[in-house]
Amino acid sequence: AGWLYTKGERNTSFKRRWFVLSEKMLCYYEDEAAPKRDGEVDLLASTCETVDTSTEGRFRFELTVNEKGGRGRTYVMETEGQ
């Protein structure tokens, strides 16, 4: 578990979220104490690609979820440190 910054689909600014990794899913929450998760990423249906470093020096990558029907979602994420 740990902090990552994620870029939203509608609001394109990065938000800091608490992520918890399970066997097949990457779940994210507003913070460590949040009782309800904000969302999840199905890792078995995803591909990961390194993008680059951000202007803040954080490591940036993309997780693309390949959903049935052809429409997928891409999560742009950054680590908290290098």
Side-chain angles (χ1 to χ4, degrees), residues 17-22 24-42 75:
R17 294 285 182 245
W18 181 253
F19 280 81
V20 177
L21 178 63
S22 70
K24 301 176 185 178
M25 300 295 249
L26 185 61
C27 301
Y28 55 97
Y29 303 81
E30 186 173 338
D31 59 43
E32 294 172 81
K36 183 180 161 209
R37 69 176 173 238
D38 287 344
E40 59 188 26
V41 180
D42 181 357
Y75 295 84

Side-chain angles (χ1 to χ4, degrees), residues 32-63:
E32 294 172 81
K36 183 180 161 209
R37 69 176 173 238
D38 287 344
E40 59 188 26
V41 180
D42 181 357
L43 296 176
L44 294 178
S46 299
T47 57
C48 183
E49 181 179 332
T50 302
V51 176
D52 206 349
T53 55
S54 71
T55 55
E56 292 82 19
R58 298 187 291 238
F59 178 75
R60 185 178 290 182
F61 61 98
E62 292 179 350
L63 279 177

